PDB file of all heavy atoms in Angstrom:
ATOM      1  N   ASN A   1       7.439  64.021-159.675  1.00 90.00           N
ATOM      2  CA  ASN A   1       7.954  64.265-161.021  1.00 90.00           C
ATOM      3  C   ASN A   1       8.420  65.706-161.182  1.00 90.00           C
ATOM      4  O   ASN A   1       9.433  65.972-161.839  1.00 90.00           O
ATOM      5  CB  ASN A   1       6.888  63.937-162.071  1.00 90.00           C
ATOM      6  CG  ASN A   1       6.581  62.452-162.136  1.00 90.00           C
ATOM      7  OD1 ASN A   1       7.335  61.633-161.628  1.00 90.00           O
ATOM      8  ND2 ASN A   1       5.462  62.100-162.756  1.00 90.00           N
ATOM      9  N   GLU A   2       7.669  66.648-160.587  1.00 90.00           N
ATOM     10  CA  GLU A   2       8.062  68.060-160.658  1.00 90.00           C
ATOM     11  C   GLU A   2       9.395  68.281-159.960  1.00 90.00           C
ATOM     12  O   GLU A   2      10.242  69.044-160.445  1.00 90.00           O
ATOM     13  CB  GLU A   2       6.973  68.948-160.040  1.00 90.00           C
ATOM     14  CG  GLU A   2       5.721  69.062-160.893  1.00 90.00           C
ATOM     15  CD  GLU A   2       4.618  69.844-160.215  1.00 90.00           C
ATOM     16  OE1 GLU A   2       4.809  70.222-159.017  1.00 90.00           O
ATOM     17  OE2 GLU A   2       3.562  70.087-160.846  1.00 90.00           O
ATOM     18  N   MET A   3       9.602  67.615-158.818  1.00 90.00           N
ATOM     19  CA  MET A   3      10.872  67.722-158.103  1.00 90.00           C
ATOM     20  C   MET A   3      12.014  67.211-158.975  1.00 90.00           C
ATOM     21  O   MET A   3      13.078  67.836-159.074  1.00 90.00           O
ATOM     22  CB  MET A   3      10.824  66.924-156.797  1.00 90.00           C
ATOM     23  CG  MET A   3      12.146  66.878-156.032  1.00 90.00           C
ATOM     24  SD  MET A   3      12.083  65.734-154.638  1.00 90.00           S
ATOM     25  CE  MET A   3      10.936  66.587-153.563  1.00 90.00           C
ATOM     26  N   ALA A   4      11.774  66.066-159.613  1.00 90.00           N
ATOM     27  CA  ALA A   4      12.805  65.479-160.463  1.00 90.00           C
ATOM     28  C   ALA A   4      13.099  66.363-161.671  1.00 90.00           C
ATOM     29  O   ALA A   4      14.262  66.597-162.014  1.00 90.00           O
ATOM     30  CB  ALA A   4      12.387  64.088-160.911  1.00 90.00           C
ATOM     31  N   GLU A   5      12.049  66.861-162.315  1.00 92.00           N
ATOM     32  CA  GLU A   5      12.243  67.731-163.479  1.00 92.00           C
ATOM     33  C   GLU A   5      12.998  68.997-163.096  1.00 92.00           C
ATOM     34  O   GLU A   5      13.864  69.472-163.853  1.00 92.00           O
ATOM     35  CB  GLU A   5      10.882  68.105-164.100  1.00 92.00           C
ATOM     36  CG  GLU A   5      10.117  66.937-164.718  1.00 92.00           C
ATOM     37  CD  GLU A   5      10.671  66.521-166.071  1.00 92.00           C
ATOM     38  OE1 GLU A   5      11.741  67.034-166.460  1.00 92.00           O
ATOM     39  OE2 GLU A   5      10.037  65.665-166.717  1.00 92.00           O
ATOM     40  N   ARG A   6      12.693  69.535-161.914  1.00 90.00           N
ATOM     41  CA  ARG A   6      13.374  70.736-161.446  1.00 90.00           C
ATOM     42  C   ARG A   6      14.863  70.455-161.248  1.00 90.00           C
ATOM     43  O   ARG A   6      15.726  71.247-161.648  1.00 90.00           O
ATOM     44  CB  ARG A   6      12.743  71.219-160.138  1.00 90.00           C
ATOM     45  CG  ARG A   6      13.299  72.536-159.628  1.00 90.00           C
ATOM     46  CD  ARG A   6      12.393  73.137-158.563  1.00 90.00           C
ATOM     47  NE  ARG A   6      12.156  72.230-157.449  1.00 90.00           N
ATOM     48  CZ  ARG A   6      10.991  71.641-157.188  1.00 90.00           C
ATOM     49  NH1 ARG A   6       9.950  71.848-157.980  1.00 90.00           N
ATOM     50  NH2 ARG A   6      10.845  70.851-156.144  1.00 90.00           N
ATOM     51  N   GLY A   7      15.183  69.295-160.647  1.00 87.00           N
ATOM     52  CA  GLY A   7      16.578  68.929-160.441  1.00 87.00           C
ATOM     53  C   GLY A   7      17.317  68.737-161.751  1.00 87.00           C
ATOM     54  O   GLY A   7      18.478  69.155-161.894  1.00 87.00           O
ATOM     55  N   VAL A   8      16.658  68.109-162.729  1.00 90.00           N
ATOM     56  CA  VAL A   8      17.267  67.901-164.052  1.00 90.00           C
ATOM     57  C   VAL A   8      17.568  69.234-164.719  1.00 90.00           C
ATOM     58  O   VAL A   8      18.639  69.425-165.308  1.00 90.00           O
ATOM     59  CB  VAL A   8      16.349  67.024-164.934  1.00 90.00           C
ATOM     60  CG1 VAL A   8      16.802  67.064-166.396  1.00 90.00           C
ATOM     61  CG2 VAL A   8      16.329  65.590-164.418  1.00 90.00           C
ATOM     62  N   ARG A   9      16.633  70.193-164.614  1.00 87.00           N
ATOM     63  CA  ARG A   9      16.845  71.516-165.221  1.00 87.00           C
ATOM     64  C   ARG A   9      17.954  72.279-164.500  1.00 87.00           C
ATOM     65  O   ARG A   9      18.853  72.842-165.139  1.00 87.00           O
ATOM     66  CB  ARG A   9      15.547  72.340-165.178  1.00 87.00           C
ATOM     67  CG  ARG A   9      14.474  71.906-166.163  1.00 87.00           C
ATOM     68  CD  ARG A   9      13.407  72.990-166.274  1.00 87.00           C
ATOM     69  NE  ARG A   9      12.849  73.366-164.971  1.00 87.00           N
ATOM     70  CZ  ARG A   9      11.824  72.774-164.398  1.00 87.00           C
ATOM     71  NH1 ARG A   9      11.228  71.748-165.001  1.00 87.00           N
ATOM     72  NH2 ARG A   9      11.373  73.182-163.225  1.00 87.00           N
ATOM     73  N   GLN A  10      17.896  72.308-163.192  1.00 82.00           N
ATOM     74  CA  GLN A  10      18.855  73.087-162.413  1.00 82.00           C
ATOM     75  C   GLN A  10      20.292  72.637-162.661  1.00 82.00           C
ATOM     76  O   GLN A  10      21.207  73.469-162.755  1.00 82.00           O
ATOM     77  CB  GLN A  10      18.541  72.972-160.915  1.00 82.00           C
ATOM     78  CG  GLN A  10      17.347  73.772-160.452  1.00 82.00           C
ATOM     79  CD  GLN A  10      17.084  73.562-158.962  1.00 82.00           C
ATOM     80  OE1 GLN A  10      17.487  72.571-158.367  1.00 82.00           O
ATOM     81  NE2 GLN A  10      16.398  74.511-158.359  1.00 82.00           N
ATOM     82  N   LEU A  11      20.498  71.332-162.761  1.00 81.00           N
ATOM     83  CA  LEU A  11      21.854  70.802-162.854  1.00 81.00           C
ATOM     84  C   LEU A  11      22.216  70.331-164.255  1.00 81.00           C
ATOM     85  O   LEU A  11      23.264  69.712-164.447  1.00 81.00           O
ATOM     86  CB  LEU A  11      22.027  69.659-161.847  1.00 81.00           C
ATOM     87  CG  LEU A  11      21.806  70.051-160.380  1.00 81.00           C
ATOM     88  CD1 LEU A  11      22.088  68.882-159.465  1.00 81.00           C
ATOM     89  CD2 LEU A  11      22.697  71.219-159.997  1.00 81.00           C
ATOM     90  N   ASN A  12      21.342  70.620-165.213  1.00 83.00           N
ATOM     91  CA  ASN A  12      21.631  70.267-166.604  1.00 83.00           C
ATOM     92  C   ASN A  12      21.983  68.789-166.741  1.00 83.00           C
ATOM     93  O   ASN A  12      22.990  68.418-167.358  1.00 83.00           O
ATOM     94  CB  ASN A  12      22.767  71.145-167.159  1.00 83.00           C
ATOM     95  CG  ASN A  12      22.932  71.014-168.662  1.00 83.00           C
ATOM     96  OD1 ASN A  12      21.965  70.718-169.369  1.00 83.00           O
ATOM     97  ND2 ASN A  12      24.151  71.192-169.151  1.00 83.00           N
ATOM     98  N   ILE A  13      21.161  67.923-166.150  1.00 85.00           N
ATOM     99  CA  ILE A  13      21.370  66.473-166.232  1.00 85.00           C
ATOM    100  C   ILE A  13      20.937  66.009-167.613  1.00 85.00           C
ATOM    101  O   ILE A  13      19.783  66.201-168.007  1.00 85.00           O
ATOM    102  CB  ILE A  13      20.568  65.745-165.137  1.00 85.00           C
ATOM    103  CG1 ILE A  13      21.041  66.208-163.749  1.00 85.00           C
ATOM    104  CG2 ILE A  13      20.730  64.230-165.267  1.00 85.00           C
ATOM    105  CD1 ILE A  13      20.144  65.754-162.609  1.00 85.00           C
ATOM    106  N   ARG A  14      21.859  65.411-168.343  1.00 84.00           N
ATOM    107  CA  ARG A  14      21.558  64.986-169.712  1.00 84.00           C
ATOM    108  C   ARG A  14      20.909  63.602-169.690  1.00 84.00           C
ATOM    109  O   ARG A  14      21.575  62.587-169.539  1.00 84.00           O
ATOM    110  CB  ARG A  14      22.830  64.991-170.548  1.00 84.00           C
ATOM    111  CG  ARG A  14      23.433  66.385-170.712  1.00 84.00           C
ATOM    112  CD  ARG A  14      24.678  66.368-171.574  1.00 84.00           C
ATOM    113  NE  ARG A  14      25.272  67.690-171.665  1.00 84.00           N
ATOM    114  CZ  ARG A  14      26.196  68.160-170.837  1.00 84.00           C
ATOM    115  NH1 ARG A  14      26.620  67.385-169.857  1.00 84.00           N
ATOM    116  NH2 ARG A  14      26.695  69.365-170.980  1.00 84.00           N
ATOM    117  N   THR A  15      19.601  63.598-169.817  1.00 87.00           N
ATOM    118  CA  THR A  15      18.826  62.361-169.857  1.00 87.00           C
ATOM    119  C   THR A  15      17.624  62.587-170.756  1.00 87.00           C
ATOM    120  O   THR A  15      17.036  63.688-170.727  1.00 87.00           O
ATOM    121  CB  THR A  15      18.363  61.934-168.448  1.00 87.00           C
ATOM    122  OG1 THR A  15      17.542  60.770-168.556  1.00 87.00           O
ATOM    123  CG2 THR A  15      17.592  63.029-167.738  1.00 87.00           C
ATOM    124  N   PRO A  16      17.236  61.606-171.567  1.00 86.00           N
ATOM    125  CA  PRO A  16      16.053  61.798-172.419  1.00 86.00           C
ATOM    126  C   PRO A  16      14.768  61.891-171.617  1.00 86.00           C
ATOM    127  O   PRO A  16      13.769  62.401-172.115  1.00 86.00           O
ATOM    128  CB  PRO A  16      16.069  60.559-173.314  1.00 86.00           C
ATOM    129  CG  PRO A  16      16.884  59.543-172.583  1.00 86.00           C
ATOM    130  CD  PRO A  16      17.900  60.315-171.812  1.00 86.00           C
ATOM    131  N   SER A  17      14.800  61.404-170.367  1.00 89.00           N
ATOM    132  CA  SER A  17      13.571  61.386-169.562  1.00 89.00           C
ATOM    133  C   SER A  17      13.937  61.160-168.100  1.00 89.00           C
ATOM    134  O   SER A  17      14.944  60.523-167.791  1.00 89.00           O
ATOM    135  CB  SER A  17      12.648  60.272-170.044  1.00 89.00           C
ATOM    136  OG  SER A  17      11.655  59.974-169.101  1.00 89.00           O
ATOM    137  N   ILE A  18      13.108  61.670-167.191  1.00 91.00           N
ATOM    138  CA  ILE A  18      13.320  61.403-165.762  1.00 91.00           C
ATOM    139  C   ILE A  18      13.006  59.952-165.427  1.00 91.00           C
ATOM    140  O   ILE A  18      13.330  59.483-164.331  1.00 91.00           O
ATOM    141  CB  ILE A  18      12.465  62.332-164.874  1.00 91.00           C
ATOM    142  CG1 ILE A  18      10.964  62.122-165.148  1.00 91.00           C
ATOM    143  CG2 ILE A  18      12.880  63.775-165.026  1.00 91.00           C
ATOM    144  CD1 ILE A  18      10.046  62.836-164.165  1.00 91.00           C
ATOM    145  N   PHE A  19      12.427  59.232-166.387  1.00 92.00           N
ATOM    146  CA  PHE A  19      12.081  57.828-166.162  1.00 92.00           C
ATOM    147  C   PHE A  19      13.166  56.865-166.657  1.00 92.00           C
ATOM    148  O   PHE A  19      13.023  55.661-166.528  1.00 92.00           O
ATOM    149  CB  PHE A  19      10.747  57.510-166.849  1.00 92.00           C
ATOM    150  CG  PHE A  19       9.622  58.385-166.394  1.00 92.00           C
ATOM    151  CD1 PHE A  19       9.174  59.431-167.183  1.00 92.00           C
ATOM    152  CD2 PHE A  19       9.030  58.188-165.152  1.00 92.00           C
ATOM    153  CE1 PHE A  19       8.138  60.263-166.758  1.00 92.00           C
ATOM    154  CE2 PHE A  19       7.999  59.006-164.710  1.00 92.00           C
ATOM    155  CZ  PHE A  19       7.560  60.046-165.512  1.00 92.00           C
ATOM    156  N   LYS A  20      14.245  57.395-167.200  1.00 90.00           N
ATOM    157  CA  LYS A  20      15.341  56.548-167.684  1.00 90.00           C
ATOM    158  C   LYS A  20      16.122  56.002-166.492  1.00 90.00           C
ATOM    159  O   LYS A  20      16.411  56.733-165.542  1.00 90.00           O
ATOM    160  CB  LYS A  20      16.277  57.354-168.583  1.00 90.00           C
ATOM    161  CG  LYS A  20      17.370  56.512-169.240  1.00 90.00           C
ATOM    162  CD  LYS A  20      18.202  57.342-170.195  1.00 90.00           C
ATOM    163  CE  LYS A  20      19.273  56.502-170.881  1.00 90.00           C
ATOM    164  NZ  LYS A  20      18.696  55.464-171.754  1.00 90.00           N
ATOM    165  N   PRO A  21      16.480  54.704-166.496  1.00 89.00           N
ATOM    166  CA  PRO A  21      17.293  54.147-165.404  1.00 89.00           C
ATOM    167  C   PRO A  21      18.616  54.906-165.271  1.00 89.00           C
ATOM    168  O   PRO A  21      19.303  55.139-166.269  1.00 89.00           O
ATOM    169  CB  PRO A  21      17.532  52.700-165.835  1.00 89.00           C
ATOM    170  CG  PRO A  21      16.381  52.384-166.737  1.00 89.00           C
ATOM    171  CD  PRO A  21      16.090  53.662-167.470  1.00 89.00           C
ATOM    172  N   ILE A  22      18.969  55.286-164.065  1.00 88.00           N
ATOM    173  CA  ILE A  22      20.161  56.096-163.859  1.00 88.00           C
ATOM    174  C   ILE A  22      21.429  55.340-164.249  1.00 88.00           C
ATOM    175  O   ILE A  22      22.425  55.939-164.663  1.00 88.00           O
ATOM    176  CB  ILE A  22      20.253  56.579-162.392  1.00 88.00           C
ATOM    177  CG1 ILE A  22      21.361  57.629-162.239  1.00 88.00           C
ATOM    178  CG2 ILE A  22      20.485  55.413-161.450  1.00 88.00           C
ATOM    179  CD1 ILE A  22      21.408  58.267-160.869  1.00 88.00           C
ATOM    180  N   GLY A  23      21.403  54.006-164.151  1.00 85.00           N
ATOM    181  CA  GLY A  23      22.575  53.208-164.510  1.00 85.00           C
ATOM    182  C   GLY A  23      22.944  53.328-165.973  1.00 85.00           C
ATOM    183  O   GLY A  23      24.061  52.973-166.358  1.00 85.00           O
ATOM    184  N   GLU A  24      22.030  53.833-166.807  1.00 82.00           N
ATOM    185  CA  GLU A  24      22.297  53.997-168.235  1.00 82.00           C
ATOM    186  C   GLU A  24      22.831  55.386-168.570  1.00 82.00           C
ATOM    187  O   GLU A  24      23.127  55.676-169.733  1.00 82.00           O
ATOM    188  CB  GLU A  24      21.025  53.715-169.039  1.00 82.00           C
ATOM    189  CG  GLU A  24      20.548  52.266-168.911  1.00 82.00           C
ATOM    190  CD  GLU A  24      19.257  52.005-169.667  1.00 82.00           C
ATOM    191  OE1 GLU A  24      18.855  52.880-170.457  1.00 82.00           O
ATOM    192  OE2 GLU A  24      18.654  50.929-169.458  1.00 82.00           O
ATOM    193  N   LEU A  25      22.965  56.255-167.552  1.00 82.00           N
ATOM    194  CA  LEU A  25      23.539  57.579-167.779  1.00 82.00           C
ATOM    195  C   LEU A  25      25.051  57.534-167.611  1.00 82.00           C
ATOM    196  O   LEU A  25      25.602  56.618-167.013  1.00 82.00           O
ATOM    197  CB  LEU A  25      22.954  58.604-166.789  1.00 82.00           C
ATOM    198  CG  LEU A  25      21.449  58.818-166.773  1.00 82.00           C
ATOM    199  CD1 LEU A  25      21.113  59.972-165.841  1.00 82.00           C
ATOM    200  CD2 LEU A  25      20.912  59.073-168.166  1.00 82.00           C
ATOM    201  N   SER A  26      25.722  58.560-168.106  1.00 77.00           N
ATOM    202  CA  SER A  26      27.165  58.676-167.909  1.00 77.00           C
ATOM    203  C   SER A  26      27.472  58.964-166.442  1.00 77.00           C
ATOM    204  O   SER A  26      26.590  59.373-165.664  1.00 77.00           O
ATOM    205  CB  SER A  26      27.715  59.810-168.778  1.00 77.00           C
ATOM    206  OG  SER A  26      27.263  61.068-168.293  1.00 77.00           O
ATOM    207  N   GLY A  27      28.738  58.781-166.068  1.00 76.00           N
ATOM    208  CA  GLY A  27      29.134  59.012-164.683  1.00 76.00           C
ATOM    209  C   GLY A  27      28.876  60.436-164.226  1.00 76.00           C
ATOM    210  O   GLY A  27      28.445  60.675-163.096  1.00 76.00           O
ATOM    211  N   GLY A  28      29.144  61.418-165.113  1.00 77.00           N
ATOM    212  CA  GLY A  28      28.909  62.812-164.741  1.00 77.00           C
ATOM    213  C   GLY A  28      27.457  63.104-164.476  1.00 77.00           C
ATOM    214  O   GLY A  28      27.106  63.825-163.539  1.00 77.00           O
ATOM    215  N   ASN A  29      26.566  62.531-165.282  1.00 85.00           N
ATOM    216  CA  ASN A  29      25.131  62.765-165.087  1.00 85.00           C
ATOM    217  C   ASN A  29      24.587  61.988-163.896  1.00 85.00           C
ATOM    218  O   ASN A  29      23.645  62.430-163.234  1.00 85.00           O
ATOM    219  CB  ASN A  29      24.383  62.418-166.369  1.00 85.00           C
ATOM    220  CG  ASN A  29      24.602  63.458-167.452  1.00 85.00           C
ATOM    221  OD1 ASN A  29      24.297  64.627-167.274  1.00 85.00           O
ATOM    222  ND2 ASN A  29      25.166  63.044-168.577  1.00 85.00           N
ATOM    223  N   GLN A  30      25.174  60.832-163.597  1.00 86.00           N
ATOM    224  CA  GLN A  30      24.822  60.133-162.356  1.00 86.00           C
ATOM    225  C   GLN A  30      25.189  60.997-161.156  1.00 86.00           C
ATOM    226  O   GLN A  30      24.410  61.129-160.200  1.00 86.00           O
ATOM    227  CB  GLN A  30      25.558  58.800-162.279  1.00 86.00           C
ATOM    228  CG  GLN A  30      25.066  57.741-163.241  1.00 86.00           C
ATOM    229  CD  GLN A  30      25.851  56.452-163.132  1.00 86.00           C
ATOM    230  OE1 GLN A  30      26.660  56.268-162.230  1.00 86.00           O
ATOM    231  NE2 GLN A  30      25.628  55.536-164.067  1.00 86.00           N
TER     232      GLN A  30
END
C-alpha cells in the first residue's frame, strides 16, 4: 500500500483511493 500511495503522490494520479478499480479511472490516470 505504501508503494502504491507513493506512486499516486509522485505522479499525481487522480483517484479517490488506491483501492479503486483502475478501469474506472480516466485514460490519463490509467
Side-chain angles (χ1 to χ4, degrees):
N1 292 344
E2 288 175 355
M3 175 188 292
E5 294 283 8
R6 185 165 56 250
V8 167
R9 286 194 306 272
Q10 285 178 338
L11 300 184
N12 191 28
I13 299 169
R14 296 181 183 91
T15 176
S17 164
I18 61 171
F19 303 103
K20 186 176 181 65
I22 190 173
E24 296 178 11
L25 302 186
S26 69
N29 287 301
Q30 289 179 9

